[in-house]
Amino acid sequence: MSESESEKQDGQKDFYKEAVKLYYYNCILYNHLEKVMTERNDLKTKVLKYELLGGELAQLDDEEIMNQLEDRKKKSRRSAADIDRQFFCTFNNCKKAYGTEASLIQHQRLKHGQNSGMDAYFRI
């Protein structure tokens, strides 16, 4: 066997070792992620128990919590026709109007690239 073939085989062995190592690390990270997700769901359940009873710690099981959450109604949204649009965009040829000033500012920032004075406070 020549030196170049030997070097090639050594490179392949190193590549294989590195691939096995990465696979092993990936398995460890996956297991850790599963544990973290389980802890997250447990904490979410505890928070929901706390909120459902107005701040009192509950002795409810998960099934009872889910039943109570299903009984809660979602907040209904206003339809587009119901919104009183009193905030108008001041840019040329823009005829958009919004029900809240925050929506108008968001439109101007996204569509017209206008920077509000508050943006400087939120930069990291």
Side-chain angles (χ1 to χ4, degrees), residues 15-36:
F15 177 76
Y16 178 74
K17 286 179 183 178
E18 189 67 24
V20 169
K21 188 189 318 181
L22 289 173
Y23 175 76
Y24 177 71
Y25 288 148
N26 191 32
C27 290
I28 292 171
L29 285 172
Y30 182 78
N31 289 334
H32 184 67
L33 181 62
E34 282 183 332
K35 289 177 186 176
V36 169

Side-chain angles (χ1 to χ4, degrees), residues 106-123:
Q106 181 181 16
H107 160 77
Q108 290 175 338
R109 189 179 307 130
L110 294 174
K111 300 299 181 184
H112 302 296
Q114 181 181 2
N115 234 356
S116 71
M118 295 300 288
D119 285 346
Y121 292 110
F122 297 110
R123 285 197 195 123

Side-chain angles (χ1 to χ4, degrees), residues 7-71:
E7 289 175 7
K8 187 176 181 181
Q9 284 183 347
D10 288 341
Q12 288 174 344
K13 288 179 186 177
D14 290 341
F15 177 76
Y16 178 74
K17 286 179 183 178
E18 189 67 24
V20 169
K21 188 189 318 181
L22 289 173
Y23 175 76
Y24 177 71
Y25 288 148
N26 191 32
C27 290
I28 292 171
L29 285 172
Y30 182 78
N31 289 334
H32 184 67
L33 181 62
E34 282 183 332
K35 289 177 186 176
V36 169
M37 293 298 290
T38 303
E39 289 175 10
R40 177 183 169 260
N41 290 337
D42 291 344
L43 287 172
K44 245 182 167 178
T45 304
K46 288 178 183 178
V47 167
L48 289 174
K49 280 183 186 180
Y50 187 77
E51 289 175 350
L52 283 174
L53 294 177
E56 297 176 18
L57 290 176
Q59 299 301 325
L60 300 175
D61 63 3
D62 294 341
E63 188 174 324
E64 290 174 340
I65 290 173
M66 292 317 226
N67 290 337
Q68 287 189 18
L69 287 176
E70 288 172 4
D71 293 342

